[in-house]
Amino acid sequence: MKRYAITTAEIDLNQLVEQVKNPYAGAVCTFIGTVREMTRGKRTLYLEYEAYVEMAERKLEQVGQEIQQKYERAEVAIVHRIGRLEIEDAAVAIAVATPHRPEAFAACRYAIDRIKEIVPIWKKEHWEDGSFWVGDQLETTPYLEGKPNV
Amino acid sequence: MLKISLFAGLAERTGKREVDIPIEQPVTVNELRTTLSRQFPEAGDAFHTSMVAVNQEYAGEDDRIVPSDEVAFIPPLSGG
């Protein structure tokens, strides 16, 4: 299994942990991003994720490499799921192993923040009264300098 | 012929996931935005508010594109 993957299959967190754990590690920190039903009082029925798959996997790998440059002996695995996802499904999972826990927590957080910034993946919200590509039009966070900070 | 991939809201608004543009000379990212905006008025300013990736790397406005490049318009991201 690839360390940095886009998949249509259900995410198995244990597989990610298996990929990163190693004898130098004293900590493995994991993060799972899940499909939320209620957002500011509005009910989501399901989400649809789409990716520019090849580039997305390369950019996930870039996130991992950035972490390895920041934190010595860090091992990283990231999987993002695409397609139709139901409430409570895992959309993204990250596992980071480092020698000590502060670096594992920090790196895990860095990974999810960076994914949102540079990895070409989009989600479409489906509500009872319509649907909407997040990032499109008004709810978007516009790029301040014309492009993400790559 | 230059092949351009479209995603998410941009694919939906234009009704296309891939667009072919006949070019023989290199064009800049910015020129390509203008060409596509004219060709797809239904996309509004989406070709201008998207990022452009050339060969799977984010490109700058003045970067040159040749017909053999892999080009994609990347609307604002919403992964995670």
Side-chain angles (χ1 to χ4, degrees):
Chain A
M1 197 187 156
K2 284 189 279 192
R3 282 277 183 121
Y4 304 99
I6 300 295
T7 182
T8 54
E10 201 174 315
I11 293 174
D12 178 359
L13 187 64
N14 287 330
Q15 258 184 354
L16 273 78
V17 173
E18 285 300 318
Q19 282 175 308
V20 299
K21 69 180 197 183
N22 67 82
Y24 297 101
V28 175
C29 194
T30 61
F31 172 84
I32 303 177
T34 58
V35 178
R36 180 174 57 239
E37 181 172 22
M38 300 303 296
T39 302
R40 282 175 250 123
K42 195 156 185 172
R43 184 183 303 276
T44 295
L45 299 179
Y46 63 95
L47 294 183
E48 218 180 317
Y49 279 93
E50 178 181 323
Y52 179 8
V53 175
E54 277 180 48
M55 181 174 170
E57 288 185 342
R58 282 176 55 156
K59 289 288 158 189
L60 288 176
E61 186 171 359
Q62 180 185 325
V63 173
Q65 285 167 351
E66 288 175 3
I67 287 170
Q68 289 179 312
Q69 278 163 14
K70 286 163 79 86
Y71 303 106
E72 220 171 312
R73 290 206 186 277
E75 294 293 337
V76 186
I78 308 172
V79 175
H80 202 301
R81 190 174 171 190
I82 55 172
R84 177 176 165 147
L85 272 72
E86 309 298 330
I87 306 304
E88 296 184 11
D89 277 351
V92 59
I94 300 161
V96 184
T98 56
H100 301 281
R101 70 184 182 282
E103 291 76 19
F105 278 116
C108 211
R109 182 176 190 130
Y110 178 86
I112 186 62
D113 290 346
R114 199 72 174 128
I115 287 167
K116 288 171 180 284
E117 207 170 35
I118 67 166
V119 183
I121 300 174
W122 303 270
K123 73 175 160 201
K124 190 178 191 177
E125 290 263 6
H126 289 266
W127 300 303
E128 285 153 320
D129 61 348
S131 63
F132 183 81
W133 280 104
V134 180
D136 198 21
Q137 300 169 332
L138 293 177
E139 282 193 4
T140 120
T141 311
Y143 300 127
L144 294 175
E145 289 158 20
K147 66 174 186 174
N149 174 27
V150 293
Chain B
M1 198 66 91
L2 179 67
K3 274 191 192 307
I4 299 152
S5 299
L6 307 180
F7 295 95
L10 202 45
E12 217 164 73
R13 286 208 248 173
T14 56
K16 288 178 190 301
R17 298 207 153 262
E18 205 172 273
V19 180
D20 291 337
I21 300 280
I23 62 162
E24 280 158 29
Q25 301 297 318
V27 293
T28 65
V29 166
N30 198 263
E31 287 162 354
L32 190 61
R33 289 183 191 281
T34 305
T35 304
L36 288 164
S37 293
R38 287 199 187 123
Q39 192 173 335
F40 298 100
E42 63 273 32
D45 64 353
F47 283 105
H48 287 285
T49 56
S50 294
M51 269 300 299
V52 176
V54 178
N55 301 324
Q56 301 180 13
E57 282 298 336
Y58 294 107
E61 287 308 290
D62 298 326
D63 287 4
R64 291 193 167 276
I65 296 167
V66 297
S68 58
D69 285 334
E70 178 182 329
V71 177
F73 275 76
I74 313 279
L77 307 176
S78 51

